[in-house]
Amino acid sequence: MRDVEHASRSDHVSPHQARAGVVLGQGDDCALLAPSSDCRLAVSVDTSLADVHFPRDASAGAIGHRALAVNLSDLAAMGARPRWFVLALTLPEVNEQWLEGFARGLYDLAHKHDIALVGGDITRGRELSITITVHGDVPGDDAITRHGARPGDLLAVTGTLGNAHGGLRAWFEGQRDECHPLVAAYLRPAPRVHEAMSIRGKVTAGLDISDGLLADLNHLCTRSGVGAHLDASAIPLDPALVASLGASDALEAALNGGDDYELLLALAPEQEAAIREALGGTLHVIGRVTSESGITGITSTGQGWQHFQGQGLQGQGQRSNDHGTGATP
Ligand SMILES: Nc1ncnc2c1ncn2[C@@H]1O[C@H](COP(=O)(O)OP(=O)(O)OP(=O)(O)O)[C@@H](O)[C@H]1O
Ligand SMILES: Cc1ncc(C[n+]2csc(CCOP(=O)(O)O)c2C)c(N)n1
Ligand SMILES: [Mg+2]
């Protein structure tokens, strides 16, 4: 931890000690934090592993950015305002230059979303592993949850889907330009924190898409006790993705690729205009919530990302034909 702290202090990035709600930051056995009295605390943890979540030869800055971004995306999923995070780092070796790049990627995103590093842990281990716990707050009962979707609601997503999977494929085909738009979508996802905060209270349910649209829609449907009908032609695809993969693989990437970190939302039709006004052109209606369980309207048999289904560095792009989503034509 001291090394990350040191790296962060040694250049343009400043540590996040004297921040709102931080009674005591790094340096003692625990951080002491003062949550807002009128808010619920939102807490989530996510681990990022080399060659499971990011390629080990990605830049240190991208690895730092991505590890925090996927956690911020879980706060966004709930409509929470980012407040504090702790960082547990396992490194095979200490490399000052790598740590400075990592800290810069991490802190640049932390600054952007006004979230403070308040503690952590650093250990030596065989594989590079980053575990971040984020804390956010949500006023009253305004948190966006997975369980509120009702039959008749519209289903919508922010942004386009599948780009990150296109970037992952491009990376494994040798594309090493981290500014390449698809590779950037994979390595430097932009969590929808502000968008989510602007629509909490207006949607009935929501979550962030990490495992793939169908898998995460399935989570939302299961928790809400509903089904879904999707309009395949309405699923937003970036022309750059279609150009790279072709129309059919681009749609498959959007349905099952994962790593998008966009929001999937359920909303009452009468809220669409207000939500569209808050989110602008990023909102795309892709279907509706049904009372019958299962997902219809889509022929894909993929089931998104599953850690224990032989995926990973070698198996990326492979998809099982087991019907985890219950998707039917
Ligand atoms: N090992 C665990 N112990 C306790 N709860 C867990 C564990 N793993 C997952 N959960 C809980 O199960 C729920 C779903 O977890 P999951 O990891 O699928 O969330 P997610 O947001 O879809 O994934 P991610 O953010 O990792 O992409 C969460 O509420 C999470 O806290
Ligand atoms: C090198 C490499 N190979 C494959 C993938 C794809 N991938 C890994 S985990 C995951 C779901 C979210 O993870 P979690 O549920 O652990 O938060 C996805 C889509 C990747 N990102 N990097
Ligand atoms: Mg999530």
Side-chain angles (χ1 to χ4, degrees):
M1 202 55 238
R2 228 172 301 126
D3 299 294
V4 179
E5 220 185 313
H6 170 75
S8 72
R9 281 169 193 205
S10 63
D11 59 17
H12 75 293
V13 286
S14 61
H16 294 226
Q17 294 273 10
R19 300 287 295 277
V22 182
V23 179
L24 193 60
Q26 288 155 259
D28 218 304
D29 293 284
C30 292
L32 294 177
L33 307 171
S36 307
S37 57
D38 52 344
C39 284
R40 305 280 186 264
L41 202 56
V43 181
S44 180
V45 63
D46 242 328
T47 293
S48 295
L49 287 171
D51 293 342
V52 174
H53 296 92
F54 57 84
R56 68 179 63 230
D57 52 344
S59 72
I63 294 170
H65 172 108
R66 195 177 189 285
L68 181 59
V70 301
N71 278 274
L72 286 168
S73 182
D74 278 318
L75 291 180
M78 306 290 290
R81 172 175 67 130
R83 300 296 309 271
W84 312 292
F85 71 105
V86 291
L87 165 69
L89 203 50
T90 300
L91 301 168
E93 61 181 358
V94 170
N95 173 330
E96 285 295 326
Q97 203 187 339
W98 187 92
L99 273 172
E100 288 200 13
F102 174 84
R104 187 176 305 219
L106 184 89
Y107 277 121
D108 282 352
L109 189 68
H111 274 301
K112 186 170 174 202
H113 291 285
D114 202 22
I115 187 168
L117 176 64
V118 295
D121 184 35
I122 188 159
T123 54
R124 182 176 182 170
R126 206 171 296 167
E127 294 293 341
L128 172 58
S129 164
I130 306 136
T131 298
I132 290 178
T133 300
V134 280
H135 303 75
D137 58 21
V138 199
D141 293 322
D142 278 359
I144 301 169
T145 66
R146 298 178 177 189
H147 63 252
R150 295 290 167 259
D153 283 353
L154 300 177
L155 287 167
V157 292
T158 55
T160 56
L161 302 180
N163 281 17
H165 185 72
L168 180 147
R169 282 177 51 164
W171 186 275
F172 286 107
E173 282 160 15
Q175 175 58 263
R176 289 294 181 275
D177 177 5
E178 292 189 357
C179 295
H180 181 283
L182 299 180
V183 172
Y186 167 43
L187 292 182
R188 290 187 183 258
R192 295 288 191 179
V193 172
H194 297 293
E195 292 86 342
M197 284 169 65
S198 74
I199 55 164
R200 62 186 178 204
K202 297 190 179 80
V203 295
T204 57
L207 79 177
D208 65 319
I209 303 173
S210 52
D211 295 337
L213 173 65
L214 289 182
D216 286 312
L217 175 57
N218 198 45
H219 293 146
L220 185 143
C221 287
T222 303
R223 293 285 295 172
S224 294
V226 297
H229 183 80
L230 291 180
D231 175 0
S233 66
I235 292 172
L237 302 176
D238 188 327
L241 181 71
V242 178
S244 171
L245 299 186
S248 166
D249 277 14
L251 180 61
E252 190 54 29
L255 294 174
N256 291 304
D259 288 331
D260 296 302
Y261 299 103
E262 294 290 351
L263 301 174
L264 168 62
L265 305 166
L267 50 124
E270 56 271 23
Q271 290 289 346
E272 184 184 352
I275 294 168
R276 201 172 280 290
E277 194 176 322
L279 299 185
T282 60
L283 188 76
H284 302 276
V285 173
I286 58 166
R288 61 187 158 75
V289 176
T290 60
S291 51
E292 312 80 42
S293 65
I295 300 169
T296 59
I298 292 286
T299 51
S300 171
T301 54
Q303 57 178 355
W305 181 262
Q306 296 202 328
H307 279 291
F308 296 97
Q309 293 282 323
Q311 291 164 317
L313 187 61
Q314 305 308 325
Q316 56 84 22
Q318 286 176 15
R319 296 290 173 246
S320 157
N321 279 337
D322 196 3
H323 281 248
T325 60
T328 57

